[in-house]
Amino acid sequence: MEEQKGEGKMNVRSIFSDKQVNTGRQPELDLAKALAILCLAPIHCIIECTPEAGLVSGVPYLFDTIIGGPLSAPMYMFAMGIGMAYSRKNSWQALVKRGLLILAAGYLLNVCRSTIPYLLAYALTGDAEQYLTQIPYLTFMNDIFQFAGLATLVMAFFIWMRLPKTGMLCIGLAASLAATAIGTVDMGSPILNVLLGYLIGTEDAAGLVCSDFPLLHWMIVPIVGYLFGDCLRHVRDKRRFYLVVSIPCAAAAAVWFVRGICYGLGMFGEGQNCYYHISTPDVIASLLAAVAMLGGYYVICGHLPACLLDFASEVSRNIAKIYFIHWILIAIIIRLALSVARGTQELPVGITMLLGVTISALAVIVAHGVSAWQRLRAQQRKTKGGTLSQ
């Protein structure tokens, strides 16, 4: 018995180190973020261009409910938490600044992808019911940027309070359980539905409220990501680490996913809010899937050429820009041009997928150009500053 305990300790020590030995960029994390963002344009094009009845089966169901569901946003949130653990700028002051900037970017995106296109569409068509009535909700809608900004501010508060990691986890779990118990609510007031929708799931009878990714439902994901990232920094043998954690996570997530898909349960049920207002069991299953996928990506990274790893790394660094740009392109091409010109956004699935891939490629190219321009400007300012100091 003593020998078995000793062997167990040795196995743990062979995987982990007391020191932070696994620092720097993590290729599997870059690949996870890159694949997640590259899939978003096809996912959103499918949602925009497919009638609701067509989303329940086939390719649209795959991209909307499965790839665009538990395999997409949870991975981004999980990676966001890992990034906080790995970032050199992870003081509470830096996180407050970052959170406010993300929130500002989220509202700017709402204006660019919804407010302006819908105003232009109304000016061209005169259809107030289709366009004007939605503008207040879409301008102040809660989406992934709003969630990310609020979650970053919460993490800044935790760090400022010097909250222990177990305390963070308990708060995240309690928030999820409370949100699950409350469920989706209608406050009977558009303003209250919008405001409360940042924290818990809200809806109204008209279906105009956009309460996507409420904080209490999803906060546990970046918290677990942060704890996972802190753990990953101490891993000395990543192959064995992922072998130990990813295979059981994959098995558990697969069982839950198959059950949900076959019987239409939980986040695989009818309507979008069963996913956006996620329950505690579903969010845990999504976390298990994220850990499982990271293990798979680690294996894949070992067989990829350096050029593809470099590409994944750049896409990962530009993930916020790509997200912003792909939505602007969707707003211009689908919500404005296609909708006004044809009177409908619906397209065949094949054309929709081709459009999504094209938008994704354009977003990557434009983001690369913007980043290159920003680096050039920074270098010019640095050179100018050095010249002046001389």
Side-chain angles (χ1 to χ4, degrees), residues 135 139 174 177 202 208 242 248 271 284 305 309 326 336 343 370:
I135 286 178
T139 302
L177 290 169
T202 59
L208 293 173
Y242 281 122
I284 292 173
L309 292 176
H326 102 278
L336 184 57
V370 171

Side-chain angles (χ1 to χ4, degrees), residues 187-199:
M187 299 302 296
S189 161
I191 295 176
L192 289 178
N193 277 330
V194 170
L195 293 177
L196 192 62
Y198 292 111
L199 299 178

Side-chain angles (χ1 to χ4, degrees), residues 5 59 91 170 173 187 218 224 242 259 274 296 334 368 373 376 384:
K5 290 182 179 179
V59 172
S91 66
C170 288
L173 181 59
M187 299 302 296
W218 290 94
V224 174
Y242 281 122
R259 170 185 172 273
C274 65
I334 298 177
H368 172 78
W373 177 77
L376 179 62
K384 185 178 180 180

